[in-house]
Amino acid sequence: MAHILFVLTGTDHWTLADGTEHPTGYWAEEFTAPYTAFTAAGNTVTVATPDGVVATVDQASLAPEVNGGADGAAAVADILSGADALRNPLALDKVDLADYDAVFYPGGHGPMQDLAVDPVSGALLDHALASGKPLGIVCHAPAALLATAESGSSPFAGYRLTAFSNAEETQAGFADKAKWLLQDRLVALGADYREGDPWAPHIEVDRNLYTGQNPASAGPLAAEMLTAL
């Protein structure tokens, strides 16, 4: 079966425009929904992070209110506690893309802090796109694409994609606090940005690039990638 690389943020905060540090990390559903879909289909998941640090889950993503109630929150917590890959991540600079059949980037505000400026991640994304292997990126994780434009242009320019929208960032209460907005930066990168209704599942597939707009899109995005695998 397939071997899938999950690339997670290595930070536990997001620096806002006023200099304050907002506690964050990766968003639980954006790991658990794809992880469950991939592993239930018999595939293997390996996690990598910058410097091999154990990824921090955004505590807000564990709340019952964002998981359909207490039972849903408990189920998410159980998946995280049972995912051994989370506790033994590879260092991102030790990853050999040839070892994997697909790459998946879960979001959360963390990638806005570290992966957006991580050249190692940027190079991995560049190579993954060129390889033709399925490349899935969801919610705020497309911030990592910004690190692919070090030479002035990005290989993702012209690709149809989606990501967390300005409307969603506004409704989440961060649009006026952030240093920059993801949708704006992706448009400036040259991407063909598309958005659906706030918080509703929305995915875009362009060649081997699979993107999802928000947490609710993580499961459907993984299901779409499974058809390619």
Side-chain angles (χ1 to χ4, degrees):
M1 302 301 289
H3 192 182
I4 302 163
L5 178 71
F6 274 40
V7 178
L8 290 174
T9 176
T11 191
D12 62 2
H13 69 277
W14 176 34
T15 304
L16 302 177
D18 65 0
T20 60
E21 294 184 351
H22 173 69
T24 188
Y26 68 91
W27 196 259
E29 182 182 3
E30 295 170 29
F31 175 86
T32 59
Y35 177 84
T36 299
F38 289 136
T39 57
N43 303 298
T44 300
V45 169
T46 293
V47 169
T49 63
D51 299 321
V53 302
V54 175
T56 298
V57 63
D58 190 320
Q59 291 298 307
S61 69
L62 302 177
E65 306 85 70
V66 297
N67 288 293
D71 289 347
V76 164
D78 284 346
I79 295 168
L80 294 179
S81 67
D84 291 337
L86 282 170
R87 284 168 286 285
N88 299 285
L90 291 177
L92 199 52
D93 61 359
K94 303 299 183 185
V95 166
D96 184 348
L97 183 62
D99 294 336
Y100 304 96
D101 302 294
V103 178
F104 192 89
Y105 275 64
H109 278 114
M112 301 276 280
Q113 182 76 17
D114 62 351
L115 297 182
V117 293
D118 189 316
V120 177
S121 172
L124 176 65
L125 286 166
D126 188 351
H127 296 152
L129 188 70
S131 75
K133 297 176 180 182
L135 172 60
I137 318 175
V138 66
C139 200
H140 285 94
L145 302 186
L146 303 179
T148 67
E150 293 295 311
S151 62
S153 62
S154 170
F156 291 88
Y159 273 76
R160 188 179 71 255
L161 55 79
T162 189
F164 203 66
S165 67
N166 288 355
E168 288 166 322
E169 204 72 87
T170 299
Q171 292 177 21
F174 288 107
D176 60 352
K177 300 176 182 178
K179 292 181 179 180
W180 46 269
L181 297 178
L182 180 55
Q183 177 179 336
D184 293 345
R185 284 291 181 90
L186 292 173
V187 171
L189 191 73
D192 180 9
Y193 177 85
R194 308 288 180 92
E195 66 181 295
D197 293 335
W199 313 109
H202 177 74
I203 65 174
E204 294 286 345
V205 180
D206 188 350
R207 288 156 278 184
N208 62 314
L209 179 63
Y210 296 72
T211 52
Q213 182 173 321
N214 45 38
S217 305
L221 187 63
E224 190 68 22
M225 289 180 68
L226 278 170
T227 67
L229 291 169

